[in-house]
Every structure is written in structure tokens, then in C-alpha cells.
Amino acid sequence: MAAVLDSVRAFFAPSTFTLDLENAGDVVARENLLDRAMGPDRRKKSSEKLRQGRVPSDGLALVARDRAGHVIGTVRLWNIEAGVDRETRPVEALLLGPLAIDPSYEGKGIGSALMRAAIMEAKKRGHGAILLVGDAPYYERFGFFASKTRHLVMPGPFQRDRFLALELKDGWLDSAAGMIVASGRKLAQPPISKAA
Ligand SMILES: CC(C)(COP(=O)(O)OP(=O)(O)OC[C@H]1O[C@@H](n2cnc3c(N)ncnc32)[C@H](O)[C@@H]1OP(=O)(O)O)[C@@H](O)C(=O)NCCC(=O)NCCS
């Protein structure tokens, strides 16, 4: 991971921000940032159903930090099954999101840097494809297109022209069809306290 982050840092104005793996101490700042950037309805999205109660894919929860180390950007990727292939075997893939940058840092290339780092790391880890629901005019620059998800559906309402994918391995989604299902590790549940 360090090599991927270093190469992206070197390309994108390293003096204004750094990229890092998210750690446990970043969770509150990340959630506050998501509330600011995306508003209160963010938890109602269909993508959220695939994230709830799961942990992100290994090594694929990234943050951008300002010079003082504060979280100013976040992106996470989640293990999913992108339907099944012709032999009805699950098609392993990743769901990206949410991606958000602190509003006071927008337009400085931080979102692009996080996207490129996440894509490079996912590829390095051997994943076959990344899916997301988002604005095509933004994500097409990273190679995401709606044509790759045409036989797939989200588990809830979604706009087909915003349901995009990038193949990290050629043809990975060629025969993928059906519903997206969460497949990541589950969050550890706190122990249930029993009444005496
Ligand atoms: C979308 C977002 C992640 C972009 O991050 P960023 O760091 O500002 O983006 P970058 O600086 O890397 O890129 C800026 C470019 O993206 C374009 N852009 C930003 N948001 C866009 C959108 N929704 N659709 C199309 N283009 C967009 C800008 O116009 C700019 O274009 P230019 O390079 O031609 O000038 C950020 O604005 C954000 O957090 N938005 C709120 C949360 C959100 O909507 N997230 C999901 C995005 S679908």
C-alpha cells in the first residue's frame, strides 16, 4: 500500500495533502465529513444496504489528510458479489463509496488522488472490477461506465445511468448478471448484556 500512496502523492501536489490508510481514530472525523459533504439522506441510499454491518475490503479504506493530519477526504471499497456468471458462480467485485472531500478542499485534485490510489490498490490486490453509483461525468475520467453494469441491479432503487463499473481485469463483468449482494466480513457485534 505504501508504494501506491507514495506514487499518487508524488503525482498530486504533495504539499497540500497526504493520502493514508484510515485508522480507528479517523472514524468520527470521517462520519462528520460525510454528513457535511453528502447531507442527512446519505444513509438512505441503496449502496448503504451493501455496506451496513460490514467492514471495508482489506487495505481499501483510504483517507486524505491536511498538513495537520485532519481527515479532509474519504473513500472506501467493499466486497460484493456482482451477480453470477454463465455457470451461476458469484462474480466477486468491489463497491466503491462513499467518496467525499471536505467542501473547503474541493477542486484541488484530492478526490482524483483518492480515486486513483484506490483503483491502483484494488488492482494490486487482485480484484477484478469496481462498481459504484455516482455521477458519470465525474467517474468516467477514471474509466467507469454504465455499459459494464447493464445486466446487474442494485438491491433497491437506483438510476441506471449512475450505476457504473470499471474492470480491473479485462472481461471480468462480461457475463455478470443479477443482483448485487454484500459479501464482506461482518462488523463484530457488541456482546448482548443479559439481564440478571
Ligand atoms: C465529487 C467530489 C468527490 C470531487 O472531489 P474533488 O476533490 O473536488 O475533485 P477533483 O478536484 O479531483 O476534481 C475536480 C473536477 O471534477 C469535477 N467534478 C466535481 N464533481 C463533479 C460531478 N458531480 N460531476 C461532474 N464533474 C464533477 C469538477 O468540475 C472538476 O473538473 P475539472 O478538473 O475539469 O476542473 C467532491 O466534490 C465531493 O465530495 N462532493 C460531495 C460528495 C459527493 O457528491 N460524492 C459523490 C460524487 S458522485
Side-chain angles (χ1 to χ4, degrees):
M1 183 68 197
V4 169
L5 294 181
D6 282 345
S7 63
V8 176
R9 268 182 211 129
F11 190 71
F12 289 94
S15 57
T16 52
F17 66 92
T18 55
L19 302 185
D20 199 2
L21 286 171
E22 182 182 289
N23 62 54
D26 294 327
V27 172
V28 172
R30 178 246 289 156
E31 288 301 301
N32 288 338
L33 163 56
L34 288 172
D35 286 340
R36 276 200 308 283
M38 310 194 81
D41 282 350
R42 69 180 174 95
R43 290 194 180 84
K44 296 183 186 155
K45 296 178 182 230
S46 296
S47 308
E48 192 59 28
K49 290 186 187 161
L50 297 164
R51 300 191 280 255
Q52 257 165 11
R54 306 273 170 172
V55 297
S57 190
D58 288 345
L60 289 170
L62 309 184
V63 292
R65 300 186 192 280
D66 66 11
R67 284 188 191 143
H70 300 128
V71 173
I72 55 170
T74 171
V75 69
R76 287 171 294 162
L77 290 87
W78 310 79
N79 297 102
I80 53 161
E81 291 170 7
V84 293
D85 66 12
R86 282 192 193 89
E87 281 80 43
T88 67
R89 287 179 304 227
V91 178
E92 300 291 339
L94 295 167
L95 180 77
L96 184 146
L99 165 71
I101 303 304
D102 186 300
S104 55
Y105 285 87
E106 278 179 357
K108 297 179 191 301
I110 303 173
S112 298
L114 275 174
M115 283 299 295
R116 293 189 201 289
I119 292 167
M120 284 165 71
E121 184 65 18
K123 192 166 186 157
K124 202 185 89 184
R125 287 174 175 267
H127 294 285
I130 304 175
L131 286 69
L132 60 81
V133 179
D135 294 345
Y138 184 67
Y139 290 108
E140 279 177 356
R141 71 194 68 192
F142 310 110
F144 287 82
F145 294 101
S147 55
K148 296 284 175 192
T149 65
R150 61 190 181 282
H151 301 303
L152 295 166
V153 290
M154 290 289 287
F158 70 102
Q159 290 170 262
R160 185 146 290 288
D161 60 346
R162 290 171 50 80
F163 186 27
L164 317 173
L166 164 72
E167 286 176 336
L168 302 173
K169 294 182 182 171
D170 277 350
W172 190 258
L173 297 174
D174 275 357
S175 63
M179 174 85 79
I180 307 299
V181 177
S183 64
R185 263 185 304 124
K186 293 196 172 156
L187 269 172
Q189 295 292 323
I192 299 165
S193 55
K194 290 185 184 163

